[in-house]
Amino acid sequence: MSDEFNPNAPEEFEDDINNLISELNSQFGEGRSRWYYDEPSETLFIELESIARLDDEEIGKKAEPVFDNSELDFEEIVLLPMTD
């Protein structure tokens, strides 16, 4: 196992998350979004404007294939409707 330092790691991490959000936006429809990563719990919180009017079942059906295809490894990913 290699513990080599990767100076691009933070940027690549953010790029991977932004790509995930782009895929989610293509599933739900475009809109504003933002995210927050809670490092201690390894939880990614994603707020999407486009899910505000959807029920949990519909959100799950559309988000599950995106999460399944993602190579990101979080303890949990939480989708929330975007609030101002």
Side-chain angles (χ1 to χ4, degrees), residues 7-23:
N8 297 321
E11 291 84 10
E12 290 172 2
F13 178 73
E14 288 185 19
D15 288 345
D16 289 344
I17 291 172
N18 289 328
N19 289 335
L20 175 67
I21 291 172
S22 291
E23 290 179 41

Side-chain angles (χ1 to χ4, degrees), residues 9-24 35-37 42-46 63-79:
E11 291 84 10
E12 290 172 2
F13 178 73
E14 288 185 19
D15 288 345
D16 289 344
I17 291 172
N18 289 328
N19 289 335
L20 175 67
I21 291 172
S22 291
E23 290 179 41
L24 289 168
W35 61 271
Y36 170 75
Y37 176 59
E42 296 182 18
T43 301
L44 177 64
F45 295 91
I46 300 174
E64 188 173 340
V66 175
F67 294 152
D68 288 346
N69 290 330
S70 173
E71 294 184 15
L72 291 172
D73 185 27
F74 294 103
E75 189 65 35
E76 185 174 12
I77 298 175
V78 178
L79 293 180

Side-chain angles (χ1 to χ4, degrees), residues 18-63:
N18 289 328
N19 289 335
L20 175 67
I21 291 172
S22 291
E23 290 179 41
L24 289 168
N25 274 329
S26 70
Q27 286 292 320
F28 293 110
E30 296 300 319
R32 295 179 303 138
S33 61
R34 64 182 166 219
W35 61 271
Y36 170 75
Y37 176 59
D38 182 62
E39 193 170 352
S41 67
E42 296 182 18
T43 301
L44 177 64
F45 295 91
I46 300 174
E47 290 183 287
L48 298 171
E49 182 178 50
S50 56
I51 67 169
R53 296 171 298 284
L54 302 176
D55 63 39
D56 290 343
E57 185 177 334
E58 190 172 356
I59 292 169
K61 275 192 218 177
K62 290 184 175 187

